[in-house]
Amino acid sequence: MNDVSARQETLKQQVAQAAVDYMDSQLKNHSIVGIGTGSTANYFIDALARIKHKFDGTVASSLASEQRLRSHGIPVYDLNVINDMQFYVDGADESNHQLELIKGGGGALTREKIVASMADQFICIVDASKMCETLGKFPLPVEVIPMARSVVTRAIVRMGGRPLYRQGFVTDNGNIILDIHDLQITQPRQLESAINNIPGVVTNGLFALKPADLIMIGTANGVETRVAR
Ligand code: 5RP
């Protein structure tokens, strides 16, 4: 690992711990916590293990996170048996200053969006490199039903994107991912809806219709907490 990625890992770890500290101060009785996916979410799970007696359990957004939670002895529930969720905590691939996100670098976008939709508060945890003015430098992941790959590819090309098939990757839902390059996303909410309206699309990685409520950013000067500008 080079110096830049080592520093980035340290920032992810710091922001994950800060999110656990924040949650610890806010947790209500019998809380359920939604858990994201990815390396920052993994640091969060590891830090969460230390306060596992303070909440009832979790709902995971991927099989990988579920496995990690269980390895720490943290209860994981099926979303269908849950009525309330106080927090959803997850990383992101990009965030603008309105806390609209691109997610799905790890391919878990659909379950992430479903679990996040249930939470009273979505806390996004990132290192400073994920912040941007305009979304789209990070290729936008789209989960697609396998038989619709060509149909969706053509529709996205007509919209001005350059979709690339994520080779050798199958989502937890048995679908494929197209990563859309060359987008300058100036109207994230409209684009989120437009892509989701293509037949064969399960969902796309824009979290703009329901953005994060709070973002915690790991920076060289400590962790900054922000709400939408
Ligand atoms: C997974 C995601 C992740 O949150 C996103 O890819 C960020 O990952 P990391 O914390 O490893 O940088 O959306 O589907």
Side-chain angles (χ1 to χ4, degrees), residues 12 37-41 90-93 103-109 112 130:
K12 287 180 179 187
T37 298
S39 56
T40 319
D90 199 356
D93 299 300
K103 293 187 44 53
L109 58 154
E112 291 172 341
K130 306 288 184 70

Side-chain angles (χ1 to χ4, degrees), residues 5 7 28 30 46-47 73 100 102 120-121 135 139-140 152 164 176 178 182 184 192 196 215 226:
S5 38
R7 268 198 298 276
K28 298 177 185 156
H30 306 296
D46 296 346
E100 296 164 327
I102 286 185
D120 296 339
Q121 192 176 32
L135 298 170
L140 175 64
V152 174
L164 289 187
I176 61 150
L178 297 176
D182 300 343
Q184 278 259 344
E192 182 176 352
N196 283 349
I215 194 160
R226 292 192 203 158

Side-chain angles (χ1 to χ4, degrees), residues 152-217:
V152 174
T153 298
R154 283 194 287 268
I156 289 171
V157 169
R158 282 197 295 274
M159 293 168 83
R162 187 167 60 87
L164 289 187
Y165 172 43
R166 199 181 289 185
Q167 297 278 347
F169 185 86
V170 178
T171 70
D172 285 352
N173 313 308
N175 296 314
I176 61 150
I177 297 279
L178 297 176
D179 292 301
I180 314 183
H181 295 247
D182 300 343
L183 289 174
Q184 278 259 344
I185 307 177
T186 50
Q187 295 189 304
R189 294 163 64 95
Q190 285 87 337
L191 188 65
E192 182 176 352
S193 299
I195 295 175
N196 283 349
N197 277 338
I198 303 170
V201 167
V202 180
T203 197
N204 71 81
L206 276 168
F207 285 56
L209 295 167
K210 188 180 185 307
D213 297 300
L214 191 78
I215 194 160
M216 303 182 85
I217 309 165

Side-chain angles (χ1 to χ4, degrees), residues 39-171:
S39 56
T40 319
N42 281 345
Y43 287 125
F44 176 74
I45 293 169
D46 296 346
L48 190 66
R50 287 189 280 275
I51 61 159
K52 65 182 177 190
H53 54 284
K54 296 196 176 175
F55 55 94
D56 271 10
T58 60
V59 174
S61 61
S62 63
L63 300 176
S65 291
E66 176 174 350
Q67 213 170 31
R68 198 173 187 100
L69 286 157
R70 291 200 194 281
S71 77
H72 285 296
I74 300 174
V76 182
Y77 293 106
D78 181 323
L79 185 62
N80 291 304
V81 304
I82 298 301
N83 295 318
D84 295 294
M85 183 181 292
Q86 192 181 352
F87 297 107
Y88 176 72
V89 184
D90 199 356
D93 299 300
E94 278 185 352
S95 173
N96 64 18
H97 299 289
Q98 288 72 46
L99 312 194
E100 296 164 327
L101 313 172
I102 286 185
K103 293 187 44 53
L109 58 154
T110 300
R111 293 191 185 199
E112 291 172 341
K113 205 176 269 193
I114 294 168
V115 182
S117 76
M118 256 215 72
D120 296 339
Q121 192 176 32
F122 175 2
I123 304 170
C124 186
I125 49 175
V126 293
D127 67 87
S129 71
K130 306 288 184 70
M131 299 305 294
C132 65
E133 293 296 327
T134 307
L135 298 170
K137 194 165 172 209
F138 190 92
L140 175 64
V142 182
E143 180 163 354
V144 175
I145 304 282
M147 72 165 287
R149 190 173 104 198
S150 309
V151 170
V152 174
T153 298
R154 283 194 287 268
I156 289 171
V157 169
R158 282 197 295 274
M159 293 168 83
R162 187 167 60 87
L164 289 187
Y165 172 43
R166 199 181 289 185
Q167 297 278 347
F169 185 86
V170 178
T171 70

